[in-house]
Amino acid sequence: MSTSEQVPAEPRAPMSLSPSRASDFMQCPLLYRFRVIDRLPEKPSEAATRGTLVHAVLERLFDDPAVERTAPRARAMVPGQWDRLLESKPELGELFAEDPEGERLAGWLGEAERLVERWFTLEDPTRLEPAERELFVETELDSGLRLRGVIDRIDVAPSGDVRIVDYKTGKAPRPEYRDGALFQMTFYALVVWRLRRVIPRRLQLVYLGSGEVLTYDPVEADLLRVERKLLALWDAIRLATETGDWRPRPTKLCGWCDHQAVCPEFGGTPPVYPLKIVSVRPPESGDSGQGRMDLAPPAP
């Protein structure tokens, strides 16, 4: 089935929060709704797919003995990992459907190889033995909010110090935008802290696009701050879910959005809201006067 023929998955109410979806809501609540509740299909992009490919190579490289973790070896892994990616997600072949001679694909693979090679100027994999790679993590806060995500790499020093590492195939942000870049990392640090009762010693963002490494050493106050931010964010998401009020927030990023055709900012009309609001009881003594509202799926 081609991307253009895909149909949305079954709608559902939000159940948990990841760094990506949290960023979606902060960027544009309507985008969050389209992705999490409506689950509208999106076209694969060359940039995002290249990032997935590079991540796969850097993860698999650690399967080899330390002495074999060389730049030529990693570079040579790119075509094979692309084949594996195509096998698991055949729809990615659409990216180069109009490239009969394979010139665009060759250039795209070449850029992935250059990004992989640049990593060796930033870290030495022969001296690293990651404790975890592509680790799925999930925890539930005391409030009931469930946090989840996938961490690229966790290193644990002999002293027990934990370092969380994330690879980025783009360029490092300017200093004024670094707080936003670190949001994902402090999110992961909070999850690791809640799971292992250890505050990560270092958070490290490796930017392969510009050949820079951004580090931050969190303290408990940082993690409590991000926890408060996530709780406030989740309250806003729950309110929007209950009211169906998902307002677009126009930014320069709108130009890259797949959902312009159904966005009011571009003259479109969103799909009918797939979650129905049902009042299950009238206001009682001590209520705010609004009564309690619960979500129910629309009637079949």
Side-chain angles (χ1 to χ4, degrees):
M1 178 181 291
S2 69
T3 303
S4 59
E5 295 173 327
Q6 288 182 20
V7 295
E10 186 71 21
R12 63 185 179 192
M15 301 298 292
S16 61
L17 200 57
S18 68
S20 328
R21 300 294 78 86
S23 296
D24 285 344
F25 187 84
M26 291 187 287
Q27 175 187 326
C28 175
L30 186 58
L31 174 63
Y32 177 95
R33 178 202 144 171
F34 287 158
R35 285 179 168 169
V36 175
I37 294 179
D38 298 285
R39 303 170 74 186
L40 300 182
E42 297 182 350
K43 300 175 184 176
S45 74
E46 291 187 18
T49 304
R50 182 167 51 231
T52 302
L53 174 58
V54 169
H55 276 72
V57 171
L58 298 187
E59 179 195 5
R60 294 273 180 171
L61 185 68
F62 285 103
D63 290 339
D64 296 332
V67 69
E68 295 179 18
R69 299 172 198 161
T70 64
R73 163 69 177 151
R75 221 182 142 109
M77 292 172 64
V78 170
Q81 288 303 311
W82 169 236
D83 289 341
R84 290 172 63 98
L85 198 53
L86 272 179
E87 185 178 346
S88 63
K89 297 182 178 180
E91 66 274 15
L92 295 179
E94 295 181 21
L95 288 170
F96 304 101
E98 299 179 6
D99 181 34
E101 303 300 321
E103 293 181 4
R104 255 191 335 113
L105 174 59
W108 181 83
L109 288 172
E111 178 57 25
E113 291 171 358
R114 285 187 287 275
L115 291 171
V116 166
E117 194 168 40
R118 184 172 292 149
W119 176 59
F120 286 80
T121 68
L122 305 172
E123 296 191 285
D124 181 359
T126 66
R127 303 182 62 171
L128 295 171
E129 291 298 339
E132 306 285 355
R133 291 173 277 152
E134 294 294 316
L135 176 67
F136 174 77
V137 291
E138 184 176 47
T139 191
E140 187 172 302
L141 302 181
D142 292 340
S143 66
L145 171 57
R146 185 166 291 277
L147 304 179
R148 64 197 310 177
V150 178
I151 299 175
D152 288 347
R153 197 180 89 216
I154 294 181
D155 301 330
V156 179
S159 63
D161 286 345
V162 173
R163 176 172 63 182
I164 298 177
V165 181
D166 193 73
Y167 309 120
K168 299 294 184 186
T169 50
K171 296 180 179 180
R174 296 200 300 266
E176 61 267 31
Y177 296 117
R178 289 189 174 178
D179 285 348
L182 285 169
F183 170 74
Q184 174 188 12
M185 301 302 282
T186 51
F187 182 110
Y188 288 145
L190 171 63
V191 175
V192 169
W193 181 36
R194 293 306 188 200
L195 285 173
R196 302 185 179 185
R197 301 301 173 188
V198 173
I199 294 177
R201 175 69 179 83
R202 172 152 294 181
L203 310 178
Q204 182 167 303
L205 283 158
V206 181
Y207 287 94
L208 304 175
S210 55
E212 298 175 69
V213 175
L214 175 62
T215 62
Y216 184 76
D217 297 341
V219 295
E220 183 175 325
D222 296 322
L223 306 189
L224 292 174
R225 191 179 308 115
V226 76
E227 184 174 39
R228 289 193 298 270
K229 180 175 183 175
L230 291 171
L231 291 174
L233 192 63
W234 189 243
D235 283 343
I237 290 171
R238 289 198 303 181
L239 179 61
T241 304
E242 292 171 358
T243 62
D245 185 6
W246 301 91
R247 301 184 184 184
R249 183 176 297 145
T251 68
K252 61 183 180 181
L253 298 175
C254 291
W256 285 273
C257 183
D258 276 341
H259 308 300
Q260 293 180 12
V262 289
C263 177
E265 292 296 320
F266 292 86
T269 301
V272 174
Y273 189 54
L275 300 178
K276 187 177 180 181
I277 299 173
V278 179
S279 179
V280 296
R281 63 170 171 78
E284 297 176 356
S285 176
D287 279 350
S288 63
Q290 299 300 314
R292 183 170 180 268
M293 306 297 284
D294 281 344
L295 289 170

